[in-house]
Amino acid sequence: MNIAVCVKQIPDPAAPGRLDPNTFNLVREGKLVMDDSDSYGVEMALQLVDRAGGGEVTLISMAPNGETSGLRTALAMGAAKAVLVSDPALGGSDALSTAKVLAAAILRNPFDMVITATESTDGYTGTVPVQIAEILGLPAVSFAKKVTLDGNKAMIERQSESGYDEVACELPAVVSVTAGVVEPRYPSFKGIMAAKSKPIETLSLSDLGLSADQVGAAGAREAIVSLRKAEARQAGQIIEDDGEAFAKIIEYLEQLKVV
Amino acid sequence: MDFELSQEQESFRKVVADFAESEIRPYVAKWDEEKIFPLDVVKKMGEMGLFGLIFPEEYGGSGADFTTLCIAIEELAKVDSSVAITLSAGVGLGASPIYHFGSDEQKATWLPKLCSGEILGAFGLTEPDGGSDAGSTTTKAEKVGEDEWLINGAKAYITNSGTEITGFIVVTADTEEGVTAFLVPYGTPGLVVEPPYRKIGWHASDTHGVVLQDVRVTSDSIVGTIGKGFAQFLATLDEGRIAIAALALGLIQGCRDESVSYAQSRHAFGGPIGRYQGVSFKCADMDVDVEVVRNLVYKAAWLRDSGRPFKREAAIAKLYSSEAAMRAAKDAVQIFGGAGYMDETPVARYYRDAKILEIGEGTSEVQRVVLSRMLGL
Ligand SMILES: Cc1cc2nc3c(=O)[nH]c(=O)nc-3n(C[C@H](O)[C@H](O)[C@H](O)COP(=O)(O)OP(=O)(O)OC[C@H]3O[C@@H](n4cnc5c(N)ncnc54)[C@H](O)[C@@H]3O)c2cc1C
């Protein structure tokens, strides 16, 4: 069982982020960290490979300046190797370009499944996983909350608004997993030391057979045209309990049609 | 001269800090109030390999140096001293004596389980009648057969001695040939763990008295050399002192960080209290001690890791850091005013947790005795 896991390296969410005033893109420079939402996919992949009794987890990432800090974290958790695509021409890539690049990088190694997060914590488009599937010509199962293997099939519980769907899917497939589905392990010191010498294949666009006009700002078909501050949240309504507060709360919930 | 930790050590520090932030901080007030030993968290620390950090991979360890262990203890202690001492004692008092002095068989039997955190080991040196003068052990071990020993006595204030996963206690006992260390597995008839103490602090750490009543063990439970039990434990304690200093370093940082943020947010006389020097200078002094103690801890650990003598530096680090921790905790409570006296405030917990640092693993007086002797006095 070989699994490719897409791992995004993002600016540390603990540090205040900055947007480029012209493109409105997030400024991604300096040290990046693994997107927390990808740690669930890495953990799920490690568990699936473990249960299958063999195989490898390969990380796939696209990041500026050959950045590997976030990948080392996932390698320390137990992934075997990584493919990193880094090329100045990739700056300003939109979701579709990103998917093209990741898909090409995924094809560098044999795989039975591609795992991604549902969406990244710094971009939130949530479109890359299905785009990758489309480019690779594979089935996509989104919002997976549980994945088990049955021969050459994956049995997937897919989160829906009212519960979950049970989906069976032939492999290979692209599966996007929701946060909180598994408990990502903390890397051990041994894992951190081992990660130091795990291979990270760093590729440029031409290594992938892609040209600069297909990707980056040049190839982007998506643009952020304007930006405004999110509306401040209105103060909530406070109901003093005079013994009858529950009735008012129920009435309010009924108005919202949630009960 | 190089004060830099390796990149891997820095990554590891971040992992332990994240762990403390998400697995400990949200629950620590409850553990403190209800005196809960957080077994699940200890198990997770085992899965992360924290208990096996400094032991070789053949025993399930990580082969890291002592400095790396200090990093882990420091990061845990920033958030909670109890969890930090559980690790420090688990490694320093539970596993280290087996690793340094145990037979191949003892190592093979116990170290893998200790490294994985499946079990904890306890070390019983202190007795109800004496701790500082630990050489005058009143617990007795008598040879009663070809290969059998009978142990009688009592040990006091023993860390990790009553958890669900405590696997054994190593006790020092007087024999005809001098003080000797014996490993007594839990479940051995005659080994009785007393109810937990009511402590000022370290509420989420496990401490009990242990009574040995006609406990029978065989010769292969002797740890190290007959008659050398006292010298062996002295060697163990030197490392433990650096670990306690690392714990103090974490606590002082916790006090500083809590104090600074309270000094910024609490207002009196028309402004944040941090603008009054009576408050800000206390924070500055804590910051000085963070730096001083950090240098003492990592210097001592570095000496140990490079195979050089470190007895003096370990004693200095333990002595200075524990007294600095008391100062920091006292000042932090003062900065918090009345709120600082309330148990639910973190600094109140730091205050209660700090005092033991001047007592355990050799009191401050004992450190001064060690240093005086080294000065030829
Ligand atoms: C929470 C906790 C956990 C502990 N865990 C362990 C453990 O896991 N294993 C273990 O073996 N022990 C443990 N201890 C015991 C601890 O190490 C001892 O309490 C400590 O060494 C002091 O010994 P004592 O209590 O007998 O005090 P005493 O030795 O009776 O000392 C009383 C006072 O006299 C002073 N004094 C003694 N001799 C001199 C001298 N020559 N010069 C000047 N002053 C002197 C001491 O400094 C102290 O102030 C623990 C204690 C606590 C509170």
Side-chain angles (χ1 to χ4, degrees):
Chain A
M1 183 77 193
N2 292 308
I3 304 182
V5 183
C6 296
V7 168
K8 189 167 185 185
Q9 305 178 85
I10 64 170
D12 191 340
R18 200 159 56 81
L19 296 178
D20 183 304
N22 300 317
T23 64
F24 302 126
N25 281 327
L26 187 65
V27 176
R28 293 185 175 80
E29 55 192 23
K31 200 176 151 186
L32 303 178
V33 299
M34 170 166 74
D35 187 341
D36 242 2
S37 63
D38 286 325
S39 62
Y40 302 97
V42 173
E43 179 63 38
M44 182 171 279
L46 290 170
Q47 289 184 14
L48 286 172
V49 165
D50 207 37
R51 255 180 261 139
E56 274 186 352
V57 174
T58 302
L59 309 169
I60 311 292
S61 192
M62 171 177 129
N65 310 322
E67 178 62 39
T68 58
S69 307
L71 288 174
R72 293 279 172 217
T73 305
L75 291 170
M77 287 173 73
K81 59 183 193 293
V83 179
L84 170 69
V85 188
S86 195
D87 196 304
L90 288 169
S93 288
D94 62 5
L96 185 57
S97 303
T98 307
K100 283 180 196 161
V101 170
L102 293 176
I106 288 165
L107 290 172
R108 306 280 294 186
N109 292 288
F111 64 92
D112 303 295
M113 191 188 290
V114 177
I115 293 183
T116 70
T118 314
E119 59 185 1
S120 64
T121 317
D122 66 339
Y124 291 110
T125 72
T127 52
V128 172
V130 283
Q131 290 172 339
I132 291 174
E134 183 63 24
I135 293 164
L136 295 175
L138 297 177
V141 184
S142 52
F143 299 104
K145 67 183 202 78
K146 187 170 176 199
V147 181
T148 45
L149 297 172
D150 180 9
N152 196 38
K153 258 202 241 139
M155 313 301 291
I156 294 161
E157 290 178 8
R158 193 177 171 273
Q159 189 69 51
S160 69
E161 282 197 4
S162 51
Y164 63 88
D165 306 329
E166 288 178 357
V167 182
C169 174
E170 297 275 330
L171 295 179
V174 178
V175 179
S176 72
V177 300
T178 53
V181 285
V182 282
E183 198 180 334
R185 67 195 68 187
Y186 291 92
S188 67
F189 186 71
K190 214 187 322 190
I192 292 171
M193 292 306 285
K196 223 164 90 162
S197 51
K198 287 181 177 173
I200 297 181
E201 189 187 12
T202 304
L203 303 172
S204 66
L205 272 183
S206 58
D207 293 328
L208 290 175
L210 293 169
S211 66
D213 57 356
Q214 290 174 287
V215 296
R221 302 192 204 168
E222 177 191 313
I224 303 171
V225 288
S226 75
L227 194 75
R228 58 187 166 79
K229 280 217 156 64
E231 256 173 56
R233 280 198 19 201
Q234 305 287 320
Q237 186 190 341
I238 296 170
I239 302 171
E240 295 275 348
D241 190 9
D242 52 4
E244 296 295 317
F246 69 94
K248 290 185 188 139
I249 292 171
I250 290 174
E251 191 185 319
Y252 178 72
L253 292 175
E254 275 170 353
Q255 268 175 26
L256 291 180
K257 297 198 165 52
V258 294
V259 291
Chain B
M1 189 121 189
D2 183 359
F3 282 100
E4 203 101 62
L5 293 169
S6 75
Q7 228 180 3
E8 289 71 33
Q9 284 171 323
E10 289 297 354
S11 307
F12 178 65
R13 179 188 290 284
K14 174 124 200 334
V15 171
V16 181
D18 285 349
F19 178 84
E21 216 44 63
S22 20
E23 311 285 338
I24 299 175
R25 194 179 304 276
Y27 316 106
V28 65
K30 181 181 163 73
W31 301 338
D32 178 54
E33 187 182 343
E34 298 176 18
K35 304 190 169 63
I36 295 169
F37 176 79
L39 188 60
D40 288 349
V41 168
V42 171
K43 284 188 173 156
K44 276 189 194 166
M45 286 158 60
E47 284 163 22
M48 273 170 83
L50 296 191
F51 289 95
L53 265 182
I54 58 169
F55 304 109
E57 296 196 16
E58 59 175 306
Y59 298 117
S62 305
D65 56 17
F66 201 79
T67 304
T68 308
L69 175 63
C70 288
I71 293 172
I73 294 171
E74 177 191 342
E75 287 305 323
L76 295 175
K78 277 184 191 167
V79 178
D80 182 42
S81 290
S82 291
V83 176
I85 190 59
T86 300
L87 173 64
S88 175
V91 176
L93 300 176
S96 279
I98 308 296
Y99 175 64
H100 288 304
F101 307 107
S103 64
D104 287 348
E105 199 191 323
Q106 284 167 340
K107 288 188 207 175
T109 309
W110 299 107
L111 278 179
K113 289 185 199 157
L114 289 163
C115 286
S116 67
E118 188 186 331
I119 64 165
L120 285 168
F123 189 69
L125 178 74
T126 308
E127 302 192 340
D129 289 338
S132 304
D133 186 11
S136 54
T137 307
T138 60
T139 296
K140 295 260 179 300
E142 195 187 340
K143 199 158 185 194
V144 290
E146 184 59 5
D147 188 38
E148 199 176 27
W149 296 78
L150 192 64
I151 310 176
N152 275 291
K155 297 291 174 180
Y157 320 128
I158 308 305
T159 304
N160 290 341
S161 63
T163 75
E164 271 176 57
I165 55 170
T166 304
F168 64 80
I169 180 169
V170 170
V171 293
T172 49
D174 201 22
T175 68
E176 279 187 355
E177 291 163 81
V179 176
T180 303
F182 292 87
L183 186 153
V184 184
Y186 271 45
T188 305
L191 182 77
V192 179
V193 177
E194 297 182 322
Y197 293 102
R198 292 173 52 231
K199 291 172 293 193
I200 296 181
W202 278 8
H203 284 170
S205 158
D206 179 79
T207 326
H208 302 258
V210 177
V211 177
L212 301 110
Q213 226 164 16
D214 290 335
V215 168
R216 282 169 195 275
V217 293
T218 50
S219 296
D220 56 17
S221 60
I222 292 172
V223 181
T225 317
I226 298 186
K228 289 274 158 50
F230 187 58
Q232 285 171 199
F233 109 77
L234 286 182
T236 309
L237 280 196
D238 281 341
E239 285 186 352
R241 284 171 184 164
I242 308 178
I244 294 292
L247 203 160
L249 172 57
L251 186 140
I252 299 167
Q253 288 174 82
C255 290
R256 180 198 60 189
D257 297 347
E258 294 285 348
S259 297
V260 169
S261 80
Y262 196 72
Q264 286 165 338
S265 60
R266 176 78 177 178
H267 284 67
F269 301 101
I273 56 171
R275 80 176 185 198
Y276 309 117
Q277 291 180 347
V279 171
S280 68
F281 282 11
K282 287 186 175 68
C283 296
D285 287 345
M286 288 180 210
D287 202 35
V288 169
D289 273 336
V290 167
E291 197 57 27
V292 173
V293 171
R294 178 181 301 287
N295 286 319
L296 292 175
V297 169
Y298 288 101
K299 165 84 180 295
W302 172 79
L303 285 171
R304 185 260 179 217
D305 287 336
S306 28
R308 296 180 214 205
F310 62 96
K311 188 181 216 31
R312 172 174 170 270
E313 286 74 10
I316 292 174
K318 158 78 167 64
L319 173 61
Y320 187 87
S321 66
S322 56
E323 296 189 351
M326 273 302 281
R327 280 197 297 277
K330 176 171 115 353
D331 285 350
V333 168
Q334 194 66 20
I335 289 172
F336 272 70
Y341 198 67
M342 299 301 130
D343 261 340
E344 66 262 28
T345 313
V347 293
R349 177 166 48 85
Y350 290 137
Y351 184 71
R352 290 184 281 103
D353 285 347
K355 182 62 207 172
I356 175 63
L357 301 174
E358 293 182 324
I359 298 171
E361 310 226 8
T363 61
S364 288
E365 291 76 13
V366 165
Q367 308 307 325
R368 290 189 166 93
V369 169
V370 168
L371 294 166
S372 307
R373 281 197 194 133
M374 294 187 95
L375 291 169
L377 301 168

